[in-house]
Amino acid sequence: DFITTREDGTPARGLNEATAVELADGGVLVNSRNYQDERPVRARAVTRGCFGDDGRLVFGPARHDATLIEPAVQASMLRYTWPNDPGAGGRSRILFANPAHTTARVNLTVRLSYDEGETWPVAKVIDPGPSAYSDLVLQPDGAIGLLYERGNAGGIVYASFTLEWLTGGKDSLQR
């Protein structure tokens, strides 16, 4: 947990349950569960880091991403393609998954960014019902896998889908 201190000296929780991806420029994008004064902000915190000349990772300020709404829950993020990958069509693709709701752990959604996590123009609901923690993976066949908690009884589900399904056929790896 990242702990901050209020002006009166009492601790205030900040960011936790972070997930990270390497950026095309060699930096790091960190996406975190987000609290302010021990209350959920209801939007993910995004922080960019870069490596200094001394090799240390230096992070910029965290910002709230209003697109990535959440009820305070762990999320997952995955680099799907690099802009210079053969067959990627020159496109960066980063995936993000979480229950996209401000107060309830429901509406598990996968999003896609083409601009290194600045915006998330593609979104598709995987499960509209109760859902929680998730983990994205890239399958050997190029499909996307999503392991997640379904319901309130601790059931675990694995969903598999393609980039074409996620984008409704509007994105092709070959451009």
Side-chain angles (χ1 to χ4, degrees), residues 49-119:
C50 62
F51 289 92
D53 292 337
D54 61 0
R56 291 172 38 183
L57 185 58
V58 178
F59 288 99
R63 68 174 174 82
H64 305 303
D65 190 327
T67 301
L68 304 180
I69 60 172
E70 70 162 3
V73 66
Q74 178 267 350
S76 59
M77 194 165 50
L78 175 73
R79 161 76 59 191
Y80 185 71
T81 62
W82 295 91
N84 59 353
D85 282 348
R91 294 190 102 170
S92 166
R93 292 175 183 85
I94 296 175
L95 300 166
F96 175 83
N98 79 329
H101 193 278
T102 57
T103 59
R105 290 182 174 189
V106 297
N107 202 41
L108 185 68
T109 301
V110 173
R111 297 178 187 276
L112 173 63
S113 174
Y114 296 108
D115 58 7
E116 301 291 275
E118 287 295 319
T119 63

Side-chain angles (χ1 to χ4, degrees), residues 15-38:
L15 311 177
N16 65 20
E17 296 184 348
T19 185
V21 295
E22 183 179 357
L23 298 172
D25 66 4
V28 178
L29 175 67
V30 178
N31 187 302
S32 306
R33 192 168 159 173
N34 193 2
Y35 291 86
Q36 187 169 343
D37 289 331
E38 300 180 15

